Amino acid sequence: MDKPFVVPAQPDSVCQPPSTLDFLVDRSFRAMSRAGVILILALVVALVFEIGHKAIPGFQKYGLDMLTGTVWDVNQQKFGILPAIWGTLYSALIALLIGGFFGISMAIFLTQDFLPARLAAVFRTIVELLAAIPSVVYGLWGIFVVIPAIRPLTDWLNGAFGWMPFFSTTLSGPGLLPASLVLAIMILPTIAAVSQDALRSVPMKTKQAAYGMGTTHWEAILKVMVPSAATGIFGALVLGLGRALGETMALAMLVGNSNQISLSLFAPANTLAALLALNFPEAGPSEIEVLMYAALVLMFITLVVNVIGSLIMAYAQRGARK
Amino acid sequence: MSATMQQVAPTITPAKVVMDCKLDKIFYGDFLAVRDSHVPIEKNKITGFIGPSGCGKSTVLRSLNRMNDLVEGFRFDGHVHFLGQDVYGKGVDPVVVRRYIGMVFQQPNPFSMSIMDNVAFGLRLNRYKGDIGDRVKAALQGAALWDEVKDKLKVSGLALSGGQQQRLCIARAIATEPEVLLMDEPCSALDPIATRRVEELMVELKKDYTIALVTHNMQQATRVADTTAFFSVDISQGTRTGYLVEMGPTSQIFDNPREKLTKDYISGQFS
Amino acid sequence: MSNTSSLSTAVPSLQRKLEGRALRSILLSTLVWVSALVASVPLFSVLYMLITRGGARLNLEAFTELPPAGFEMGGGFGNALVGTFFMVGIAAAIAIPIGILAAIFLAELGPSSRLANTARFAAKTLTGLPSILAGVFAYAMVVLTTGTYSAPAGGVALAVLMLPIVVLTAEEAMKMVPKIMKDAAYGMGCTQSQVVWKVVLPTGMPAILTGVMLAVARAAGETAPLLFTALFSNYWIFHEGQLEVMSPTASLAVLIYNFSGMPFDNQLELAWAASLVLVMIVLVVNVVSRIVGKPKF
């Protein structure tokens, strides 16, 4: 290793080489810092290993049948998570459609010169506050505000369009739609924030070129700005989807926890996260094996979506830098 | 065709050389940035490095205190003799080397702390056991900044004007009385008035310090440098490689240069 | 000699006309305004409910009493409030040091090394981890090994959620410290650790604190990780003269969840009150993080 630069001792010189203590501290601090990084990697490995490892007994007993089974009955030892997978994907999709629309709209609203800076800051704060509200509070609000509020609409839709599979049942309380609506509100901040970044990184030259050609405000936005930011906005949607897939509490409180597969927006449903939240606390050892398996499935789905989202964002940022 | 090693100017006394840089090659990765330059730095003199952009003068300066080690792919072939050893010798720790050499950068870069803490930084780093307040005052006086800041030592260094910040950086560098003070274009970010003050300061400082100065402004060299080293760019091999063309007393370099290239640069034929 | 009368082509009017393009523009702008306002409604609705229903039930009793059972009146969430602070404290004690140390490596010591790139990717992936899986992990690692539900188990689960936030925001904070400032420190002969301790950390501290506080606010509001790690408790953590750490611990979030499903008005009102307190804590921490986060350079 490096030896200290040996200097002829000059008694009244202020300059001193670092002391042995300094070097020791330097070495150990750098080692600790490296340890911190290794710990993060170890955490990810441990996460996958622990859940995977504990899922093996469940997988061995039920195999891939659990992925296609539709019955969850502890007493009969029948465990099927297809309804949960269905509910997870369906609710996330609807949340993405609604949250995506409002989120991108908000991003355009905040970045395309619709507001003076002060007002824009107000709306930006509103979006940040929406993100700060805990999931369980959204669940509580969903039960007592959203469900009663949408019931008239859902009854009307069921009455008028009941022949469509989407509106084929009545909303008795918790169900897919209220859950998806609240979920949409929860992923809106993510989509809005990432889309804002994407729109802001469109180079000034592009913006000026568009306006310089005499486009109207909206032509510039829809034909130039949004397409330039398309990759980033797409990444925002994927990240929003990832968040929606992993969201637990609001769904556990609003989705109805019913293991059925239905296209109806008003029917109660279930999601993987809600399934875990509801069954884990009271589960016996045999059920836990199965729940670990379900946890593994959830981890896999969210991991894949989040990794794809990160890769898209990395690709978008590299494109913006060119 | 190989270039000849630059001959040392006859007026430099070997006994008075504080730092002797004998450079064969400097690489950044595969790129040969500088070659074949012998630059002795004399005690209590200001040695100026001048030359067109890309000639490697800053690179050479930063090699003296191993600052280039922070750059990926940097490699130095040669010797820098300082305090009886080779700075690039085997087993030498650059951190130790830098304790004995002060550096002032192109952009004023005070720390985000009070003026007092900025100047005391080096003293505390070197575990100075004496009166820090006295030393700080002496350094600020040496940097011609004391009168302006003596009542606001607790104010953040970043609150000063550009010229004042640079003088603060000089005070910070001289507080520990380093053997050599390296200055990398210290005035290029300053307005003319601030520049003049720093130049006057440099002439005062050389009574107590040895200074190596890089400047892109020829006239600055004529104003402050005792010895001048002129670097230029060699494109004969297909790449831009810097090298020392000529070195000598400033008056000789500017009035009576030996090399034609020097003469062309001085007269403004290229820059 | 000007000859304007000989112009054969008509000069186009530069005035606006309310036709196709302009009309579409107005409609779209209205749409965007309306959707921004619609998107803001939930926030105000939530705050309104919290203040009216939660505020009504908020009194000293709520902060100092234990949770009421089924048909009881009165009671409070005092132990849940303490429990939340306690477990978030444990989580912070784990996540903050490790997070900052790791961030130092990512920002300063080895920014482009393979180890750093892999760890950065791992941290980014962890930010997307469903919070319930953090709970499952802590269940497997702590509850199963210690044989009991406990506050530390909850703390570990929350730490897993806090860690990526702390690492990534601290790294960004340190990367914002100007390179020339670090050059000055290296130039004076600082070891790498000295550059970090004396220059990078102090200068980047405001932004690091912001990141830490955001992580804390997030952890305080989480429910799922606590459901089967700390469970819930109707007792104080300081119980019969002993600090009962290795047993189920109450938290505001779990209380809200439990009470929201109960058919008793008293519990529901308490759930709203607890929600108000929880949201207040989260908002205050958010606001403070913004004030603290003013950069020093």
Side-chain angles (χ1 to χ4, degrees), chain B residues 52-72:
Chain B
S53 60
C55 67
K57 49 191 195 294
S58 270
T59 304
V60 173
L61 188 82
R62 285 166 161 249
S63 303
L64 298 178
N65 67 347
R66 296 196 62 169
M67 273 304 278
N68 284 325
D69 283 26
L70 301 173
V71 179
E72 287 262 337

Side-chain angles (χ1 to χ4, degrees), chain B residues 30 44 63 96 130 161 166 198 224 227 231:
Chain B
D30 291 327
N44 293 125
S63 303
V96 182
S161 75
Q166 193 64 308
V198 173
V224 306
T227 314
F231 290 82

Side-chain angles (χ1 to χ4, degrees), chain C residues 88 91-92 95-97 99-100 103 127 158-159 161-174 176 204-220 282 285-295:
Chain C
V88 171
I96 295 176
I100 293 186
T127 59
L158 293 178
L161 292 176
M162 284 180 73
L163 188 59
I165 303 177
V166 173
V167 170
L168 294 172
T169 51
E171 185 197 359
E172 285 307 304
M174 288 190 254
M176 299 270 282
M205 194 45 78
I208 294 177
L209 276 178
T210 304
V212 164
M213 297 188 98
L214 289 177
V216 164
R218 164 98 197 265
V282 167
V285 173
N286 260 297
V287 167
V288 171
S289 81
R290 216 164 296 194
I291 297 175
V292 153
K294 297 265 177 275

Side-chain angles (χ1 to χ4, degrees), chain C residues 27-39:
Chain C
L27 284 175
L28 284 169
S29 294
T30 318
L31 183 65
V32 145
W33 263 100
V34 166
S35 49
L37 290 169
V38 165

